[in-house]
Amino acid sequence: MSTSAVRSWSDDAGADLTGRTVLVAGAGISGLAAAEVLLARGARVLVSDDRAVPDLPAGASQAEGLPDGVELIVTGPGRRPDHPLVAEAAARGVEVVGEPELAWRLGAASETPPAWLVVTGTNGKTTTTGMLATILRAAGLDAVACGNIGYPVVSAVAAGHAVLAVELSSFQLHWSPSIVPAAGLVLNVAEDHLDWHGGLEPYAQAKARALVGAVAVAGIDDEIASRLLAESTSPHKVGVTLHAPGPHQLGVEDGLLVDRAFPPRPAHESDTTARESDAPAPESGGGVVLAAVGDVTPGGPPGVTDALAAAALARAYGVSADAVREGLRAYRPGPHRSAPVGTVDGVRYVDDSKATNPHAADAALAAQPAGHVVWIVGGLFKGARVEELVATHAGRLAGVVVIGTDRAEIVEALARHAPEIPAVEVTEGDDEVMRSAVRRAAALARPGDVVLLAPAAASMDQFRDYAARGSAFAAAVAELG
């Protein structure tokens, strides 16, 4: 969509939605938030869902299909482009957008549009977004984390926040053609959601929509993310690496996070984002010391990469090294991300239910001791392959418990690459699947082992979401004690 088209929509509908009919397709968290904001703007709001919605906002009504008179559809992110509603909308000339796109257009129509700092990637984006928001607040900015983390972007825009740390999934980016962030990031790209996008390249190109702003950032240790950065037309391209950084990069040198992409801020600057001058890097390559590796939680290569990426977006917005360091020291990860949930009979239990794809599970497994992991894995793989994941980490495994609908793929990969490792399946017919899985994992584990929930798969076949899956794991571990 062209800039002029976006401006026309904003001028016509963003500032005054009075009397316009908008269909919100999907009554999830973001859909209901969109409905509330649209109602506040004077729109006539219809909500469609495949279930009755008892908690509709006052003034909205539930609808089926695509009623006559609808001028815009705000769709939930999971609705595929080949969905019948999308096809019918195209035939009628009704535009379909996502909730973040609606937020962008409403924000653009306001007197003081917020700054968007966008984070996407297959793995690590929630941690990076949280780190970024914490850094921005350490700089004294009115900032909030929003998007694909439970707080809709449209709500953040309606609340009037000045700076948005926005996590966007590939689905959300697909349905958001107009967003041009002040700075955008692609952390990494690996197989995920291939059933939705139709292949790895369309999935990657959806992620690449984050790299259209004034500053484009990517994790250049990742082959696909690095390529997307090279292909970006952004005027300022910044790479993030775990190696010593070159020009236009942030990286690690002598145990320090070093910025060689953004110029040092002089000591005389007095705005809230530059409370101290930036310290020089340790060697003659120039640059700025941001923090020590030890300041980063979670640690390890994935955590440090996330920290560098968050720092790059913050630096793009003008935040000082002092605020970056303070924010990273203050940040703590949310639940279900390599979270210890207990130790029973000398066995540690770790919840990484957020590892909803093989790429994320790879990072979770890599952080565990070789030969001492009892791995709880499985769910819906969404077209992603697990062969390489199993082959890479076979030497870490002391046992495997397989759950979920797509069990056969894991079982076959284990038979090829780790036939000597004890493996058990928890079948669909078992009651309380996670309780059974934890009991079987405990039977395989020995003192000093780690029982790791890192499913490498989506949860919706057996649980409401990944959080419910992780909570069920923690509850089952508590019962062991």
Side-chain angles (χ1 to χ4, degrees), residues 109-120:
S110 68
E111 292 184 2
T112 55
W116 288 50
L117 304 177
V118 169
V119 176
T120 195

Side-chain angles (χ1 to χ4, degrees), residues 336-378:
H336 313 301
R337 296 166 180 84
S338 294
V341 297
T343 300
V344 181
D345 296 331
V347 176
R348 291 192 301 116
Y349 291 80
V350 176
D351 168 17
D352 206 322
S353 185
K354 188 64 168 65
T356 57
N357 56 66
H359 193 265
D362 174 71
L365 285 163
Q368 308 305 325
H372 289 277
V373 178
V374 178
W375 182 25
I376 300 178
V377 58

Side-chain angles (χ1 to χ4, degrees), residues 386-395 397 410-421:
V386 297
E387 189 87 11
E388 183 178 352
L389 176 68
V390 173
T392 298
H393 294 288
L397 303 178
I410 282 285
V411 171
E412 291 168 6
L414 288 166
R416 283 190 291 272
H417 300 289
E420 74 287 357
I421 302 298

Side-chain angles (χ1 to χ4, degrees), residues 259-281:
D259 170 12
R260 291 200 172 100
F262 300 98
R265 302 181 67 90
H268 64 77
E269 291 193 21
S270 59
D271 63 89
T272 58
T273 64
R275 290 172 297 166
E276 294 183 7
S277 60
D278 288 336

Side-chain angles (χ1 to χ4, degrees), residues 190-247:
E191 288 186 343
D192 198 14
H193 304 302
L194 303 191
D195 53 345
W196 198 97
H197 290 281
L200 181 58
E201 188 57 25
Y203 171 63
Q205 291 306 316
K207 295 290 190 187
R209 291 189 174 187
L211 303 180
V212 298
V215 181
V217 183
I220 58 173
D221 295 338
D222 181 274
E223 181 179 353
I224 298 178
S226 181
R227 171 173 64 82
L228 295 179
L229 182 65
E231 294 172 352
S232 168
T233 58
S234 173
H236 191 180
K237 302 178 185 181
V238 176
V240 167
T241 176
L242 289 173
H243 305 290

